[in-house]
């Protein structure tokens, strides 16, 4: 099993640590030729405007979009959730996203007061709560009819899935808890 981690920018190394702890090969992805041998892709947290720009300038946006359309499983966390969303609010006008999951997100939607916080989440399929770190996280404002909600915080979805695309508004890679990565890997 090979799960590539998009490594243009942001919190990619921690994802690689979580995946390798599970015995999964987790190479960095920086060029289009590195996409071919992947079973799945992780799009990490960071800054979605920068990531969108770097994806274009590194000729990666269209190749990844094509592979997602063809069924490549993808896990998007925080900025990665924004990159996967069908609709992005409060983005930059030139920011692009893959539209891999039918949700609307509002960038930095938790506002200044709650810019960064942690919370224990009850996640569908997990026995014990998952400790989640939110950093200038996107707020999920709408989920389409085919989107499964796997966890909520104060009634707002924070972990959602549509077929092969799973996204979190928090950073599951920043705690030493591999359960969400394991759930993703098991779904591949
Ligand atoms: N606010 C960032 C963005 O718009 C996301 C923050 C994060 O990934 N921790 O991309």
């Amino acid at each position: 099993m090979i799960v590539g981690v998009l490594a243009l920018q942001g919190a990619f190394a921690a994802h690689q640590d979580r995946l390798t702890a599970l015995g999964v090969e987790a190479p960095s992805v920086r060029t289009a030729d590195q996409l071919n041998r992947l079973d799945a892709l992780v799009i990490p947290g960071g800054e979605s405007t920068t990531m969108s720009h770097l994806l274009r300038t590194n000729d990666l946006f269209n190749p990844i979009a094509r592979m997602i359309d063809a069924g490549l499983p993808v896990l998007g966390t925080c900025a990665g959730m924004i990159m996967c969303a069908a609709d992005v609010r409060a983005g930059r006008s030139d920011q692009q996203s893959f539209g891999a999951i039918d949700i609307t997100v509002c960038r930095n939607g938790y506002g200044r007061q709650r810019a960064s916080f942690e919370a224990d989440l009850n996640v569908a399929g997990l026995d014990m709560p998952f400790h989640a770190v939110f950093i200038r996280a996107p707020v999920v404002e709408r989920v389409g009819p085919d989107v499964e909600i796997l966890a909520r915080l104060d009634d707002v979805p924070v972990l959602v899935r549509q077929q092969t695309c799973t996204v979190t508004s928090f950073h599951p890679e920043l705690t030493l808890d591999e359960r969400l990565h394991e759930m993703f890997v098991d779904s591949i």
Side-chain angles (χ1 to χ4, degrees):
M1 170 84 65
I2 306 178
V3 179
V5 180
L6 184 67
L8 296 176
Q9 192 267 333
F12 52 88
H15 276 290
Q16 292 173 303
D17 291 345
R18 299 288 82 72
L19 289 164
T20 45
L22 291 168
V24 173
E25 198 182 330
S28 302
V29 173
R30 296 195 174 89
T31 58
D33 58 308
Q34 293 166 330
L35 291 169
N36 297 327
R37 61 193 200 105
L38 304 183
D39 298 305
L41 179 69
V42 173
I43 305 180
E47 178 49 56
S48 58
T49 53
T50 309
M51 217 180 284
S52 166
H53 175 73
L54 291 173
L55 280 163
R56 279 201 304 274
T57 54
N58 288 278
D59 293 326
L60 266 171
F61 190 90
N62 290 331
I64 291 178
R66 277 196 294 272
M67 288 184 71
I68 292 175
D69 279 352
L72 181 76
V74 55
L75 171 65
T77 62
C78 203
M81 169 189 258
I82 298 169
M83 291 306 308
C84 289
D87 297 307
V88 177
R89 289 211 316 115
R92 264 178 56 151
S93 56
D94 60 350
Q95 161 165 20
Q96 281 182 288
S97 62
F98 292 117
I101 183 162
D102 184 19
I103 58 174
T104 301
V105 296
C106 180
R107 275 185 71 225
N108 303 325
Y110 285 97
R112 267 192 208 169
Q113 295 281 331
R114 299 192 75 197
S116 296
F117 59 96
E118 302 185 13
D120 288 323
L121 304 176
N122 291 318
V123 176
L126 297 185
D127 296 342
M128 303 280 287
F130 189 92
H131 189 72
V133 178
F134 293 78
I135 304 170
R136 300 182 65 233
V139 170
V140 176
E141 296 184 330
R142 178 194 66 87
V143 297
D146 298 329
V147 175
E148 283 173 86
I149 299 171
L150 302 178
R152 300 174 196 259
L153 178 66
D154 301 337
D155 285 337
V156 176
V158 291
L159 166 54
V160 295
R161 177 167 68 194
Q162 183 174 0
Q163 293 175 335
T164 51
C165 180
T166 305
V167 291
T168 67
S169 42
F170 55 93
H171 284 263
E173 78 286 8
L174 293 184
T175 42
L176 296 175
D177 183 342
E178 279 94 33
R179 288 178 297 162
L180 292 188
H181 289 81
E182 191 172 26
M183 196 188 258
F184 176 63
V185 167
D186 286 348
S187 75
I188 296 168

